[in-house]
Amino acid sequence: MTLAQPLAIPPSAETFFANHAQLRPMPEVAARLIKSFDDPNVSLRALADLIEKDPTLSARVLRLANSARFNPSHNVSTLMDAANALGLTMLRNLSMAAAISGRFPEVQGLDRRHVWRHAAITATYARILGKLVRLEADEVFVAGMMLRTGQLLMALSAPEQVAEVERLAGEPGSRYSLEQHRFGCTHAHVTASLAAHWHFPNEMVRAFTDASEPLERRPFSRMAAVLHLAEVLADAAVKGLDPVEALQQAVPELVAHMHLDLDDLRDRLLAAGDPGQDVDALLH
């Protein structure tokens, strides 16, 4: 039997929590949304009623429901209308995306719109990959949305160094090694600390912890692998590169280990369109 390694969050990742007080606390509604992942009997009405308790979150969800990407046949004006238009899975996913993005202030050295557009793409691609490897797609979507939040925490403490890493990260997936060399940890490690602080599921915290080098950790976490792959895909997408070719060049061993059907993956990515097109509705 393979014994699980303890969570390998480097001590250097914890140092970035000196500025965690600048984050807005995770609202109670979002915390209850996280718990709903473990409830197979949760209803659309229950989720809508829960989200409606937070006026700011409700307003963001309504803007997303009326955005071009989802393009309902008519404008929705109530949260229950949005729930019916989106369905349970998308309602919860968009609500969590809005809740997470709303926790972070503008930080020096990073373009907020660019970061959250990248996060939305990562989340969608993680969901696609999750379905291919039979993971819980909703949880993987939220994890993808969360993945770079650690970088925002890092930028609160070291804005110039984080900005330099972004300038140097020309190759898809290179952010991890650049951060490890400069800081002794990666944004995924800092995100793991944040996720633990916000009481996210243990599986998700471990996935963040292992996402920098998923092949090096035991037991192997498919969610960590999906997060790493999704970030490479998102890096390629925002740079206008072929995402599948980027995967093959950046992480061929991980692609082989996951036994991905790359033709199927390419078709699914194309069908997803531009998942980052509604970032303005997410942020305002």
Side-chain angles (χ1 to χ4, degrees):
M1 181 178 72
T2 302
L3 296 178
Q5 297 175 2
L7 291 179
I9 302 176
S12 51
E14 301 291 345
T15 64
F16 289 107
F17 262 76
N19 285 314
H20 82 275
Q22 295 186 42
L23 301 184
R24 303 177 186 95
M26 181 63 80
E28 175 62 23
V29 167
R32 292 173 65 183
L33 281 172
I34 293 169
K35 291 180 180 178
S36 76
F37 286 119
D38 295 325
D39 182 2
N41 299 314
V42 66
S43 69
L44 193 61
R45 167 62 72 178
L47 277 184
D49 289 346
L50 174 61
I51 296 162
E52 205 162 31
K53 296 179 186 297
D54 186 323
T56 301
L57 183 58
S58 297
R60 287 189 176 195
V61 172
L62 280 174
R63 282 196 294 272
L64 285 165
N66 282 301
S67 65
R69 178 168 173 77
F70 301 101
N71 195 24
S73 57
H74 61 281
N75 287 340
V76 297
S77 57
T78 71
L79 200 62
M80 197 61 218
D81 286 341
N84 287 325
L86 295 170
L88 189 148
T89 293
M90 191 55 65
L91 175 68
R92 181 163 52 189
N93 286 350
L94 293 184
S95 298
M96 283 302 305
I100 291 167
S101 62
R103 299 309 94 200
F104 292 85
E106 187 79 49
V107 295
Q108 181 184 346
L110 289 175
D111 182 323
R112 183 169 183 254
R113 188 178 184 279
H114 175 82
V115 168
W116 289 111
R117 181 173 184 271
H118 185 281
I121 296 170
T122 302
T124 299
Y125 289 176
R127 192 168 190 274
I128 290 170
L129 287 162
K131 287 184 175 180
L132 288 176
V133 299
R134 299 184 180 181
L135 288 176
E136 174 52 56
D138 286 4
E139 289 191 18
V140 174
F141 178 93
V142 172
M145 197 73 201
M146 275 280 292
L147 184 56
R148 278 185 69 188
T149 56
Q151 187 188 33
L152 295 174
L153 265 182
M154 296 166 83
L156 288 173
S157 298
E160 292 180 0
Q161 294 93 321
V162 170
E164 183 180 6
V165 165
E166 279 304 291
R167 286 194 298 272
L168 294 173
E171 298 295 324
S174 61
R175 188 178 293 107
Y176 288 113
S177 59
L178 290 167
E179 289 173 339
Q180 185 66 45
H181 177 75
R182 181 169 292 273
F183 300 111
C185 66
T186 72
H187 61 282
H189 292 134
V190 182
T191 300
S193 295
L194 178 60
H197 179 78
W198 277 349
H199 306 293
F200 274 65
N202 289 337
E203 181 186 6
M204 202 177 293
V205 176
R206 180 169 288 280
F208 291 133
T209 305
D210 295 352
S212 304
E213 295 180 310
L215 285 176
E216 303 302 317
R217 300 297 298 163
R218 294 293 181 273
F220 178 76
S221 165
R222 286 183 298 155
M223 187 183 291
V226 161
L227 292 177
H228 193 110
L229 292 167
E231 183 164 328
V232 173
L233 289 170
D235 285 351
V238 299
K239 294 176 186 297
L241 304 175
D242 183 287
V244 173
E245 288 185 6
L247 274 191
Q248 292 173 297
Q249 292 175 7
V251 283
E253 297 90 353
L254 187 56
V255 170
H257 188 85
M258 296 291 282
H259 303 289
L260 293 177
D261 181 336
L262 295 181
D263 290 332
D264 185 20
L265 175 60
R266 187 187 298 278
D267 290 342
R268 291 174 186 246
L269 296 178
L270 287 172
D274 178 7
Q277 66 179 298
D278 296 314
V279 66
D280 291 328
L282 184 69
L283 295 177
H284 301 291

